[in-house]
Amino acid sequence: MSNSKKTIFSAVQPSGEITLGNYLGAIKNWVNLQNDYKCIFALADLHTITVRQNPKEFNRRIIELYALFLACGIDPQKSIFFIQSQVHTHANLGWILQCYTQFGELSRMTQFKDKSKKHVDNINAGLFCYPSLMAADILLYNADLVPVGADQKQHLELTRNIAERFNGIYGDTFVIPEPYVAKIGAKVASLQDPTKKMSKSDKNSNACVRMMDDADVIIKKFKRAVTDSNNEVKFRNENTGIDNLIGIYSCITSKSAEEVEKEFEGKGYGDFKKAVGEAVVNELIPIQERFKDYISNEDYLVKCFRKAREEALEISEKTLNEVKTKIGFYL
Ligand code: TYM
């Protein structure tokens, strides 16, 4: 990896079966960025225990997700792709940065507000402090850019504030990261309620396409997707169901909204929804095939994430040591 390349960091939580939203909002972009940037990606499993997990299922999900990311095109030779809990620097810097994050700042995080409504019986300190850990993830690698979906922008802004605050007290330490939010795909909405994001935890199974859904299930979900009361495939930028479907289709086919409108001129929503479903199937089925190969070769996966752990440690320990020295700790 050449040093002149800018550094990218991003992560996904192994908190459930990942969705088409995660794929289009994050992973697909990561794959494309690998050639032009120094890329560091993580499975953010420390974040996931802010919600109670079944140990067996959680353990299995981590390795399955690791395999799925390789199947999506994350190349362990080009990128460092590691598992967060295996790299001790994250929890360590996470604690330190909590001491540089204000209670008021964390209280304003919309994700905290949403999740604490969803898990009223377990509003734990980790759920509240989670953005400081996310800041640590990013700042440990001095990332220039952080490719995320729109829902993570607020956490990114907080990361920048924490970094600026620390730099202000101790002198230049952290690179101030920029969010990298793609123009399309940054906010894939639920197929049943376009005002909500497509989410792993949606109770309505038709709302969300999962990466491992069968072809006929995907086609059915798109057939049932809500649209609007017009009958013209036209992007209106009003967060309607049809805007969402155009976004998904253009993200997958790399066509602009205007090109999509032209392609479906004179055709109805039925034809369009069928085409979107088919495009998604054509994108996901080869990934599912590759996933089967990777997951049946666990030794290879373990080899990849152990190598990535060493690479991640080498970079992040330098940052952590610099931070600790500046604060006054003994190394
Ligand atoms: P997570 O696991 O909820 O989501 C992973 C990525 O997927 C994006 N995403 C979406 N994009 C478009 N449409 C959707 N419907 C949609 N749903 C999810 C998210 O924006 C995200 O980019 N806290 C993070 C994980 C994390 C992280 C980090 C990210 C931990 N440390 C450091 C960046 C940098 C999270 O819970 O993402």
Side-chain angles (χ1 to χ4, degrees), residues 9-15 19 21-26 30 44 47 84 111 115 130 133-134 137-138 146-152 155-156 185-189 197-200:
F9 180 89
S10 200
V12 169
Q13 285 197 53
S15 56
T19 68
N22 297 125
Y23 177 68
L24 297 180
W30 299 5
H47 286 261
Q84 184 192 31
Q111 200 168 76
K115 284 205 176 169
Y130 150 129
L133 179 60
M134 181 161 158
D137 298 340
I138 297 165
V146 183
V148 281
D151 63 323
Q152 293 296 327
H155 291 158
L156 241 294
K187 199 172 169 204
V188 178
K197 77 166 184 177
M198 182 180 281
S199 159
K200 304 164 198 171

Side-chain angles (χ1 to χ4, degrees), residues 101-114 128 131 154-155 158 161 165:
T101 313
Q102 298 303 306
F103 183 87
E105 288 175 313
L106 292 171
S107 313
R108 285 193 287 276
M109 296 295 111
T110 52
Q111 200 168 76
F112 170 70
K113 291 185 205 163
D114 292 347
F128 187 66
Q154 195 187 29
H155 291 158
L158 179 59
N161 291 344
R165 184 170 302 140

Side-chain angles (χ1 to χ4, degrees), residues 197-209:
K197 77 166 184 177
M198 182 180 281
S199 159
K200 304 164 198 171
S201 56
D202 206 309
K203 290 202 179 83
N204 182 343
S205 66
N206 284 322
C208 155
V209 174

Side-chain angles (χ1 to χ4, degrees), residues 40 82 87-90 93 136-137 139-142 309-323:
I40 305 171
F82 67 97
V87 180
H88 70 87
T89 45
H90 289 253
L93 186 64
D137 298 340
L139 299 177
L140 277 170
Y141 300 93
N142 284 312
R309 171 180 63 188
E310 296 313 310
E311 292 168 338
L313 269 174
E314 198 184 319
I315 303 171
S316 60
E317 275 180 336
K318 279 197 195 113
T319 312
L320 180 63
N321 286 344
E322 187 187 340
V323 167

Side-chain angles (χ1 to χ4, degrees), residues 93 96 166 173-174 319-328:
L93 186 64
I96 292 174
F166 194 94
T173 311
F174 297 124
T319 312
L320 180 63
N321 286 344
E322 187 187 340
V323 167
K324 287 175 74 175
T325 306
K326 285 190 168 162
I327 294 175

